[in-house]
Amino acid sequence: MVSPAPALLSRSYALPNGGCLVAPNENLRRLAARCSHFQITRSGFGGLNQSPKVLNVPSEGLSPVAGGIVALGKFDALHIGHRELAIQASKIGSPFLLSFVGMAEVLGWEPRAPIVAKCDRKRVLSSWAPYCGNIAPAEFHIDFSSVRHLTPQEFVEKLSKDLGVRGVVAGENYRFGYKASGDASELVRLCKEYNMGAYIINSVMDRNHYSQNTNSSDLKDRGQVSSTRVRRALAVGDMKYVSELLGRPHRLILMAKSQEPFTFSRNKVSASKLSLLNLAPKEGLYKNCSVFVGDEKIESCRVVIDAAYIHIEMDDVGSCSSSGTRDFQLLSIEFGNLHS
């Protein structure tokens, strides 16, 4: 289990009033109250609708990553392989994760839900601080369209001259440059040419027996931990395997709006799948889960996922009835290791 995330600044969001909620059970009353007027604390949920920060390098002055050590990758799942890159970067200097945004649009990929919700990435990176010398890695993004046609040398030159990076960390299978023409050995050679450190680490391998039975058409898949494996594990509802790959329980973020509010009835909170901000596991019953508001655990629960809804069933409740709902509510579900 990872250590708690360092405290961040708190923000309060007063949400529109309306309706009436009767919740005799204390835990559900607290949950409903926080959904109608909750305080976001230590979770990085400020700016829920904001995209990841895109690094626009000024023509003059230093870039935000100047003098730092950047880990290179896609960082979709923020899994244990990604964490290892950050750990190695932190041993050398100030750690950054440097990746690209807009790849799907430029390359014509079909849109898909992220594994980690955008508003939850700061919390995950903060949880890495104990592994990284008590420093939470910072995350920066470059618009993919601005570097798509760069040769491997031009890419490294950009890191050195435009961004002022002191060194890079990458996995042994990392590819870069136009049409992925550069590999790890070329990265080392070019970084040396530009007086930058280059540190190549071995892939973190998936030692779970389940991986032996995973049929993969991905030629890059040599048995290493990957975001693809996380997606496959979620697709079959194997939350124990997901936790092992991520190094933490999977957290699902739901945000209801006026047209799709959360509903409260008896011991259950229901949310439309349209409220999902990241990738859910397959349909089914999931035990040993927890429901959070902000970063505060409200109650242990079971989760039932069907074709259209996510139902959160509280473990310790009395009868409860509700009429009316609240707009723009945010809830998080953290999954345990067992799936029934």
Side-chain angles (χ1 to χ4, degrees):
M1 182 65 68
V2 296
S3 301
L8 301 176
L9 294 178
S10 301
R11 295 183 184 180
S12 296
Y13 291 82
L15 303 179
N17 291 323
C20 177
L21 179 64
V22 180
N25 175 264
E26 180 61 24
N27 289 320
L28 197 55
R29 182 186 294 113
R30 290 170 60 212
L31 175 60
R34 282 164 174 76
C35 285
S36 61
H37 183 99
F38 66 86
Q39 186 174 45
I40 298 173
T41 308
R42 297 185 293 114
S43 61
F45 284 154
L48 290 171
N49 297 317
Q50 295 178 0
S51 298
K53 182 177 180 181
V54 177
L55 180 56
N56 294 315
V57 181
S59 57
E60 296 181 359
L62 297 176
S63 79
V65 296
I69 307 298
V70 298
L72 301 173
K74 293 181 181 177
F75 304 112
D76 177 19
L78 295 177
H79 55 60
I80 57 175
H82 296 148
R83 187 178 69 190
E84 187 62 28
L85 291 172
I87 291 172
Q88 295 305 316
S90 70
K91 292 179 179 179
I92 306 161
S94 299
F96 295 90
L97 304 186
L98 186 62
S99 57
F100 307 109
V101 292
M103 290 186 70
E105 294 80 359
V106 172
L107 299 177
W109 297 345
E110 290 187 10
R112 59 183 184 178
I115 294 172
V116 182
K118 291 178 181 178
C119 61
D120 197 34
R121 293 178 71 85
K122 184 182 290 185
R123 177 191 67 85
V124 175
L125 292 177
S126 294
S127 75
W128 290 2
Y131 301 93
C132 298
N134 292 321
I135 299 174
E139 187 170 34
F140 289 100
H141 296 79
I142 296 177
D143 192 330
F144 179 68
S145 63
S146 70
V147 298
R148 179 187 183 187
H149 295 290
L150 296 184
T151 66
Q153 180 164 351
E154 289 170 338
F155 177 70
V156 173
E157 182 176 1
K158 183 178 184 67
L159 293 178
S160 174
K161 294 185 176 181
D162 293 353
L163 304 186
V165 169
R166 185 162 63 89
V168 301
V169 176
E172 59 185 337
N173 299 319
Y174 183 71
R175 309 288 304 194
F176 68 106
Y178 185 54
K179 294 186 176 179
S181 56
D183 60 13
S185 61
E186 187 167 10
L187 180 63
V188 172
R189 180 182 64 79
L190 289 170
C191 285
K192 183 177 181 180
E193 182 178 328
Y194 285 90
N195 295 315
M196 294 166 51
Y199 309 89
I200 306 301
I201 68 171
N202 294 330
S203 298
V204 176
M205 303 307 291
D206 177 8
R207 295 183 174 84
N208 191 296
H209 68 87
Y210 177 81
S211 65
Q212 305 298 324
N213 301 319
T214 300
N215 295 321
S216 175
S217 59
D218 186 355
L219 297 178
K220 298 178 182 178
D221 189 342
R222 298 180 177 87
Q224 71 273 22
V225 172
S226 67
S227 297
T228 298
R229 286 175 181 258
V230 177
R231 287 183 179 275
R232 289 184 184 136
L234 286 168
V236 299
D238 190 341
M239 303 314 292
K240 181 176 186 295
Y241 185 33
V242 170
S243 295
E244 291 172 355
L245 293 170
L246 295 179
R248 65 183 185 278
H250 181 56
R251 187 172 288 197
L252 191 64
I253 311 296
L254 305 104
M255 185 179 183
K257 298 181 181 180
S258 56
Q259 66 273 24
E260 292 289 345
F262 294 156
T263 58
F264 298 79
S265 62
R266 295 181 61 83
N267 68 326
K268 184 168 67 177
V269 181
S270 297
S272 166
K273 280 188 171 180
L274 296 177
S275 66
L276 288 171
L277 298 186
N278 60 316
L279 187 61
K282 80 165 191 176
E283 296 173 16
L285 168 63
Y286 296 87
K287 299 179 180 179
N288 303 318
C289 299
S290 300
V291 60
F292 290 76
V293 173
D295 210 34
E296 180 181 355
K297 177 179 175 179
I298 301 301
E299 179 61 80
S300 298
C301 64
R302 296 172 299 279
V303 175
V304 178
I305 301 178
D306 60 30
Y309 288 90
I310 294 94
H311 305 283
I312 306 169
E313 300 176 350
M314 305 299 168
D315 285 348
D316 181 21
V317 297
S319 62
C320 172
S321 61
S322 78
S323 60
T325 56
R326 298 293 189 268
D327 294 341
F328 302 106
Q329 301 168 3
L330 187 81
L331 291 176
S332 304
I333 301 168
E334 193 163 273
F335 288 83
N337 291 334
L338 298 179
H339 171 228
S340 300

